[in-house]
């Protein structure tokens, strides 16, 4: 298997730590937290592992400008702005909607990282796709070499970071004396879980992968995870992965909308472990953890903390506007 280039951003590996007090409140025998909120580059959470390979790919292709798309609160867009800057690349963000009157911290950070932010003027999340294609055409015509990062950074290259994270967590579980576990991961674009599924399949590791889909219908999210896992394994020259992922609906009232079960799970994690969760991804994933435990799951469970720290602080500082 040949690995693509990596542009090192974060001090990996991240820790895998037991959470005994939260486990006891939930009725789990063993709960471990994979601390990808600590990936160590600009509060980037799970985006850091993806961007290490996406930025390296952009550089290998001699790109001078990164075009990345998402929403005004996008963790990916803001972290890409920071990563592009340290790599010496220009960065443009294509964001759906209009610039909010109270800009979320992710947007403020992107702007202060010198990224140009363009808004599609439509609240449709898909509006960024065509807009970004057109903008890439304009930039190319003007002589720029553009590298396009789709929503969520969900490409085979981005998923390589999580293919490697699968190896990381299997080693850490082994060192702690666990030979099997259920691994719960929040799913948006599917790149994180897709990469993990590719890695777990290659290792033939006895891990049960469970996704908590926060934005898409669970069947669509599962299909996306399988597709990314297959593309990632193909890119790495590994055999076609046997992807077996259970996907649970974690949208609550809808993507980005507050959910009382998520809020309760967020408070429980903070009270018992001092673990800060964000309302859009990790708290909704924690709500699924609560459901699984109530349905009889005992563990060992790995809760993959994917970050979202800037949004977490937004939510606390600007109650009701998260
Ligand atoms: C904090 C956080 N957790 C989870 C996810 C979901 O990751 P993915 O888009 O790779 O499914 C995202 C990104 O969209 C995120 O920002």
């Amino acid at each position: 298997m040949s690995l693509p280039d990596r542009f090192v951003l974060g001090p990996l590996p991240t820790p895998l730590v037991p959470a005994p007090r939260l486990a006891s409140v939930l009725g789990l025998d063993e709960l471990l937290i994979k601390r990808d909120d600590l990936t160590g580059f600009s509060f980037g959470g799970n985006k850091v592992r993806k961007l290490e390979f996406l930025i390296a790919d952009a550089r290998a292709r001699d790109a001078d400008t990164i075009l990345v798309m998402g929403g005004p609160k996008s963790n990916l867009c803001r972290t890409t702005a920071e990563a592009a800057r340290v790599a010496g690349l220009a960065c443009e963000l294509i964001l759906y909607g209009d610039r909010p009157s109270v800009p979320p911290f992710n947007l403020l950070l992107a702007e202060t990282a010198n990224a140009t932010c363009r808004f599609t003027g439509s609240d449709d999340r898909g509006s960024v796709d065509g807009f970004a294609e057109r903008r890439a055409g304009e930039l190319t015509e003007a002589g720029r070499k553009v590298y396009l990062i789709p929503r969520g950074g969900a490409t085979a290259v981005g998923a390589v970071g999580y293919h490697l994270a699968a190896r990381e967590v299997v080693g850490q579980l082994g060192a702690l004396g666990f030979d099997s576990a259920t691994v719960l991961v929040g799913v948006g674009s599917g790149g994180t879980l897709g990469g993990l599924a590719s890695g777990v399949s290659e290792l033939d590791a006895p891990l049960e992968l469970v996704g908590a889909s926060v934005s898409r219908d669970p069947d669509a999210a599962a299909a996306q995870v399988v597709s990314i896992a297959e593309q990632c394994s193909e890119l790495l020259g590994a055999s076609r992965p046997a992807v077996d992922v259970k996907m649970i609906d974690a949208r609550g009232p809808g993507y980005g909308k507050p959910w009382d079960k998520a809020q309760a799970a967020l408070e429980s994690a903070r009270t018992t472990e001092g673990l800060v969760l964000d309302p859009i991804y990790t708290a909704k994933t924690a709500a699924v953890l609560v459901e699984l435990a109530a349905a009889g799951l005992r563990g060992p469970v790995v809760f993959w903390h994917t970050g979202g720290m800037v949004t977490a602080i937004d939510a606390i500082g600007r109650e009701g506007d998260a």
Side-chain angles (χ1 to χ4, degrees), residues 55-113:
I55 295 283
D57 193 36
R59 282 159 56 98
R61 292 168 192 271
D62 282 330
D64 52 31
T65 306
I66 306 268
L67 213 53
V68 59
M69 42 193 131
K73 291 178 192 169
S74 165
N75 296 308
L76 173 72
C77 290
R78 189 254 319 155
T79 314
T80 302
E82 301 279 9
R85 180 159 68 164
V86 305
L89 305 172
C91 185
E92 285 199 13
L93 273 48
I94 309 296
L95 307 170
Y96 58 77
D98 296 299
R99 189 173 190 280
S101 51
V102 182
F105 288 139
N106 268 332
L107 179 57
L108 291 175
L109 286 166
E111 288 171 341
T112 53

Side-chain angles (χ1 to χ4, degrees), residues 225-302:
V225 166
V226 171
S227 163
I228 293 174
E230 289 177 352
Q231 292 170 50
C232 178
S233 295
E234 191 182 339
L235 175 82
L236 295 172
S239 52
R240 190 185 169 91
V243 182
D244 186 10
V245 168
K246 178 171 166 189
M247 191 66 67
I248 297 176
D249 195 341
R251 289 172 292 180
Y255 174 66
K257 300 207 172 116
W259 185 22
D260 52 353
K261 288 186 179 170
Q263 185 59 26
L266 175 151
E267 277 160 22
S268 196
R270 191 168 164 205
T271 309
T272 54
E273 303 288 347
L275 196 67
V276 176
L277 303 179
D278 80 292
I280 299 178
Y281 292 97
T282 51
K284 288 189 172 179
T285 306
V288 167
L289 178 62
V290 174
E291 273 173 23
L292 291 172
L297 182 69
R298 289 292 162 264
V301 180
V302 174

